[in-house]
Amino acid sequence: AFINAYNLIDGIDGLAAITGILIATVYSIIFYFTGHPYYVLVGVSLVGVLTAFLRFNFSRGRRKIFMGDSGSLVVGLILAFLSIKILVMEPYSVLVEEGYNPGNRLLLIACVLFIPVFDTLRVMILRTLNGVSPFSADRNHAHHVLLDLGFNHAKASLGLALLNILVITVYYSFCDVLSNLWLSFLVVSMYAGTFFAFSKLRNRSARRARRHTTRHSMG
C-alpha cells in the first residue's frame, strides 16, 4: 500500500524526492539513537541518492531527469522496508526510561509517512464519494491543488514537505505527554484537519479557475 502511495505523489518535480529525503532522514535519526548502524547506512544512502537526483529533477532541457515509476517504486520499497523495521524493533530501554512509549510506533509511522498516506487516502475517499473508481486519474491530489492555486513545482513540493515536518513536530511535542488514546486522537485530528483544509483550498482553486475563464472569455 505504501509503495503505491509513494508512487502516487510523484506527480510534480521534487515532491517524491523531497518527501523521501525527509522520511529517510527521520528514520536514520531513529536508527542512530537506537543502535542500528546498518539501517542508518541504508537511510543515509537513500538521502544522498535523492539529494543528487533533485539537482537534475529541477533542471531544464537536456539535463532534466524524472524519477518515473521504476524509481518511485524502488524508493517506496526501501522506505516501506525501513517502516516495517521500525514497527518490529525491540523497545530501546534508554528511550523507554525517558518516557517513550513503544506502543506509539504506529502513530509515529503515520506522522512520518504523512504526505503519501494522507494524499492517497484523500483522493481515494473523494473518488469513492464521487462515484468513480478509487484508482482513476484526476486532479484531486494535494500537489494539484497547490498548482491550481498558482504554486510552481518547487514551492508546492517544499510546502508539502513543511506540512509533513509540522505534523512530525506536533507528534514529537506531545508523544511523551499524552496517553496512547489521546495521542491517537491527535494524529487522527491532524489527518482530518488537513483533509478539511485541502477541501477548502480545492474550492478556492476552482473559484480562481472560474474567474480566470470568465475574464478570458470576456477578453
Side-chain angles (χ1 to χ4, degrees):
F2 175 75
I3 292 172
N4 283 282
Y6 185 79
N7 181 44
L8 287 176
I9 67 171
D10 185 29
I12 60 175
D13 293 343
L15 180 57
I18 292 174
T19 303
I21 290 171
L22 174 62
I23 295 171
T25 299
V26 174
Y27 283 170
S28 296
I29 294 172
I30 294 173
F31 288 129
Y32 175 79
F33 284 107
T34 54
H36 293 82
Y38 171 76
Y39 298 100
V40 174
L41 178 61
V42 174
V44 170
S45 298
L46 184 59
V47 170
V49 169
L50 293 176
T51 302
F53 164 78
L54 270 180
R55 167 67 180 85
F56 299 95
N57 191 215
F58 281 129
S59 295
R60 293 287 182 262
R62 297 176 60 185
R63 294 173 61 86
K64 186 177 185 65
I65 59 175
F66 298 96
M67 184 176 290
D69 288 345
S70 59
S72 61
L73 292 175
V74 171
V75 175
L77 172 64
I78 297 172
L79 294 176
F81 165 73
L82 295 178
S83 300
I84 293 173
K85 177 59 183 177
I86 294 286
L87 290 174
V88 302
M89 216 167 34
E90 290 294 327
Y92 190 57
S93 58
V94 176
L95 294 180
V96 173
E97 291 172 1
E98 292 180 358
Y100 171 73
N101 181 3
N104 293 333
R105 278 182 290 192
L106 187 59
L107 299 176
L108 169 65
I109 297 294
C111 291
V112 175
L113 307 181
F114 181 80
I115 290 300
V117 173
F118 158 75
D119 186 59
T120 301
L121 289 175
R122 178 178 174 274
V123 295
M124 287 193 170
I125 290 173
L126 290 177
R127 290 167 185 171
T128 302
L129 292 177
N130 291 330
V132 298
S133 169
F135 303 103
S136 60
D138 56 32
R139 288 187 61 83
N140 280 322
H141 288 282
H143 52 269
H144 289 145
V145 173
L146 296 182
L147 291 181
D148 292 341
L149 286 172
F151 287 68
N152 59 28
H153 285 211
K155 290 181 179 179
S157 298
L158 290 173
L160 291 172
L162 289 174
L163 173 61
N164 205 342
I165 292 173
L166 176 62
V167 170
I168 296 172
T169 302
V170 171
Y171 171 84
Y172 180 77
S173 300
F174 290 96
C175 65
D176 294 334
V177 178
L178 301 177
S179 65
N180 184 272
L181 177 61
W182 283 107
L183 195 60
S184 301
F185 178 76
L186 175 64
V187 174
V188 171
S189 297
M190 287 193 289
Y191 270 83
T194 308
F195 189 104
F196 177 78
F198 270 91
S199 296
K200 292 294 184 181
L201 291 175
R202 183 61 178 168
N203 293 335
R204 182 179 176 183
S205 66
R207 291 194 299 269
R208 182 175 182 269
R210 285 195 296 268
R211 288 197 300 267
H212 177 76
T213 302
T214 302
R215 288 197 300 268
H216 182 73
S217 60
M218 291 176 63

